[in-house]
Amino acid sequence: MTAKQIIDNTLKTLPSDLDPQKLPRHVAVIMDGNGRWAQRRGLPRIMGHPRGVDALRELVRCCDDWGIQALTVYAFSTENWNRPQQEVNVIMTLIEQFLRWELPELMQRQIHLELVGKLQELPESLKKQMHRSVGSTTENQGMRFTVATNYGGRQEILQVCQALAAEVKQGTLNPEDIDQALFERHLCTVGIGDPDLLIRTSGEMRISNFLLWQLAYSEIYITDTLWPDFDRAQMHRALWEFQKRDRRFGKVKS
Ligand code: IPE
Ligand code: IPE
Ligand code: MG
């Protein structure tokens, strides 16, 4: 074996100071700081986004290698349309390329891809690629990988309200029967449940309209690292912090 192969194999295994029994089942990530990463190098902001894609590719591999069952990432918010048109175009093109180029590896790893957000408002060619990539991975039984594009937590909650209101109007649902379980069946996280761990890069202490319902009891880990610099060492650190947390869910310490 070459030195590189030995190193690669080592990186693929869960670090020994992490307990495989106490891994978060579902990790959500707000991938923030691409613009600042570029600006700190004297580059235009948009130059940070391709590097952000590189970091995402590595994170998918890392989560799959280490046994995380579900990964949900925030790629584009409903508010991100308010950015300069050129930046929006770059991000849309990068998402499309990512979905096309990563498909063989997603298949090889048996990763099940899901796309959430208001997809109907996205550019046609991106929608076509989304359809192809999701269609190819539906039977995959491995890690569930969800990409949120044109996603907003408030919009998601409103959509659920509209769907339930329509059922009430049709007479197929009684308002008294609307409970948390029913509500959750209409959310984009149906089948994977709430994130156990939310990671946000670039030091911002906010949720920025991500998974508002689902983050109710998630552990939040914020790092100053900018997204393009987020690597396996950073993920190791986030998981290590998570394993030290005491999740009480409103109860007292047992
Ligand atoms: C995150 O990085 C990528 C998207 C929101 C699409 P930013 O582009 O927000 O980077 P900063 O926060 O401006 O540095
Ligand atoms: C959140 O980052 C959205 C994504 C990472 C896709 P933003 O950069 O848009 O969030 P704010 O504007 O700092 O809250
Ligand atoms: Mg940002």
Side-chain angles (χ1 to χ4, degrees):
M1 257 203 278
T2 64
K4 186 179 177 303
Q5 284 169 328
I6 296 169
I7 291 168
D8 283 352
N9 282 344
T10 311
L11 288 175
K12 271 186 192 155
T13 34
L14 185 71
S16 56
D17 59 346
L18 295 178
D19 181 348
Q21 306 303 323
K22 288 194 190 151
L23 282 177
R25 231 185 46 75
H26 179 187
V27 177
V29 185
I30 301 177
M31 309 182 288
D32 195 19
N34 293 351
R36 276 163 284 174
W37 183 93
Q39 280 168 331
R40 280 183 199 171
R41 284 160 180 76
L43 300 166
R45 308 180 29 88
I46 55 168
M47 299 290 285
H49 296 309
R51 300 302 293 262
V53 174
D54 294 340
L56 173 59
R57 183 181 304 112
E58 254 315 290
L59 179 72
V60 174
R61 290 175 178 157
C62 175
C63 288
D64 185 42
D65 288 342
W66 291 0
I68 302 291
Q69 291 178 36
L71 170 68
T72 300
V73 299
Y74 204 7
F76 192 86
S77 75
T78 44
E79 289 71 37
N80 287 148
W81 294 109
N82 297 318
R83 293 186 179 204
Q85 188 61 45
Q86 184 204 38
E87 180 167 349
V88 170
N89 291 346
V90 164
I91 296 170
M92 292 299 151
T93 308
L94 284 170
I95 297 172
E96 187 177 331
Q97 284 178 3
F98 176 82
L99 294 175
R100 185 178 320 123
W101 294 346
E102 296 315 303
L103 188 56
E105 185 163 348
L106 296 182
M107 296 306 291
Q108 184 235 321
R109 288 177 177 268
Q110 281 290 297
I111 291 174
H112 181 120
L113 176 72
E114 292 280 350
L115 297 163
V116 301
K118 286 196 162 182
L119 306 182
Q120 65 277 15
E121 293 168 5
L122 294 171
E124 278 310 316
S125 65
L126 173 55
K127 280 195 283 192
K128 279 199 186 113
Q129 186 58 48
M130 287 180 147
H131 193 70
R132 275 196 291 271
S133 298
V134 168
S136 305
T137 70
T138 40
E139 304 287 318
N140 288 355
Q141 299 295 315
M143 183 174 81
R144 176 139 152 190
F145 172 41
T146 306
V147 181
T149 311
N150 194 20
Y151 174 87
R154 287 184 171 175
Q155 288 83 345
E156 183 182 23
I157 290 170
L158 282 177
Q159 277 181 328
V160 176
C161 292
Q162 285 171 356
L164 296 176
E167 287 182 43
V168 171
K169 194 175 168 194
Q170 275 172 8
T172 51
L173 177 66
N174 287 322
E176 313 80 65
D177 293 334
I178 300 174
D179 59 8
Q180 287 197 27
L182 178 67
F183 201 92
E184 284 168 358
R185 280 206 289 280
H186 287 79
L187 290 170
C188 67
T189 39
V190 64
I192 38 171
D194 298 341
D196 301 293
L197 170 64
L198 170 73
I199 298 172
R200 180 162 188 157
T201 55
S202 87
E204 306 294 357
M205 309 271 180
R206 54 178 174 260
I207 294 177
S208 301
N209 205 12
F210 195 35
L211 301 174
L212 295 182
W213 173 286
Q214 297 91 332
L215 292 172
Y217 271 103
S218 307
E219 292 299 323
I220 300 177
Y221 174 81
I222 293 172
T223 170
D224 284 336
T225 301
L226 301 175
W227 176 249
D229 292 326
F230 193 89
D231 59 9
R232 282 186 193 230
Q234 301 285 330
M235 187 61 180
H236 179 180
R237 169 102 211 176
L239 294 173
W240 189 76
E241 288 277 343
F242 174 81
Q243 295 199 334
K244 284 198 309 189
R245 302 276 177 94
D246 176 26
R247 302 187 76 189
R248 290 190 292 279
F249 298 98
K251 301 176 202 148
V252 292
K253 202 168 165 34
S254 51

